């Protein structure tokens, strides 16, 4: 499946899919989408890149080991529940803050950080599985 056309379009398709996965991630705590679906889209993007160019270029593009990304995501998702505990509420209760950034009030929630953690867990885990399958195949 390493045709010239596929290899030529794979980097652009990967970049577009990763950008779309971030969009799905960031809109997910208010609308359909979120960390899980965004992580699956991003992992699919890296799988496409791996099919076109092989495993070593994907590992270079990720810069970190996929299971390290998953572990960091698990830490982020867990830490998203700490502010609610400090506020005397049950673990992972969603809290909102409204900081002013450049003079505009921005709504920030702990659910966003939980979604980012889930995104990283799914991205790391699925990418690790896909890369190990691709390595075995070659």
């Amino acid at each position: 499946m390493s045709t010239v056309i596929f290899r030529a379009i794979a980097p652009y398709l990967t970049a577009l899919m990763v950008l779309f996965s971030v969009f799905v991630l960031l809109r997910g705590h208010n609308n359909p989408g979120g960390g899980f679906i965004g992580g699956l889209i991003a992992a699919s993007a890296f799988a496409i890149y791996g099919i076109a160019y092989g495993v070593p270029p994907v590992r270079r593009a990720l810069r970190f080991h996929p299971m390290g990304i998953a572990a960091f995501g698990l830490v982020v998702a867990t830490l998203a529940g700490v502010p609610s505990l400090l506020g005397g509420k049950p673990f992972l209760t969603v809290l909102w803050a409204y900081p002013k950034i450049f003079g505009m009030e921005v709504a920030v929630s702990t659910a966003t950080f939980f979604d980012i953690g889930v995104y990283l867990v799914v991205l790391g885990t699925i990418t690790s599985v896909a890369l190990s399958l691709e390595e075995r195949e070659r």
Side-chain angles (χ1 to χ4, degrees):
M1 182 99 181
S2 187
T3 64
V4 174
I5 295 172
F6 184 62
R7 290 187 73 165
I9 203 159
Y12 301 109
L13 183 61
T14 300
L16 185 63
M17 287 177 70
V18 169
L19 186 65
F20 181 66
S21 76
V22 172
F23 169 75
V24 169
L25 163 70
L26 293 178
R27 75 183 290 256
H29 62 277
N30 287 331
N31 295 311
F36 188 79
I37 297 300
L40 285 177
I41 294 169
S44 300
F46 287 113
I48 287 172
Y49 195 74
I51 291 169
Y53 289 101
V55 174
V58 174
R59 291 199 186 274
R60 281 194 304 273
L62 286 174
R63 295 195 180 154
F64 297 103
H65 193 278
M67 291 312 289
I69 294 171
F72 181 70
L74 187 59
V75 169
V76 170
T78 303
L79 289 178
V82 172
S84 59
L85 283 179
L86 296 176
K89 298 197 185 320
F91 186 67
L92 286 176
T93 300
V94 177
L95 300 177
W96 289 87
Y98 300 94
K100 288 195 174 192
I101 299 175
F102 300 117
M104 289 179 29
E105 191 174 80
V106 178
V108 178
S109 72
T110 55
T112 304
F113 293 104
F114 179 77
D115 270 347
I116 291 170
V118 170
Y119 176 89
L120 293 173
V121 168
V122 171
L123 171 65
T125 304
I126 301 299
T127 303
S128 179
V129 169
L131 290 179
S132 66
L133 289 174
E134 182 71 21
E135 284 175 336
R136 279 193 184 165
E137 195 173 288
R138 292 179 187 227

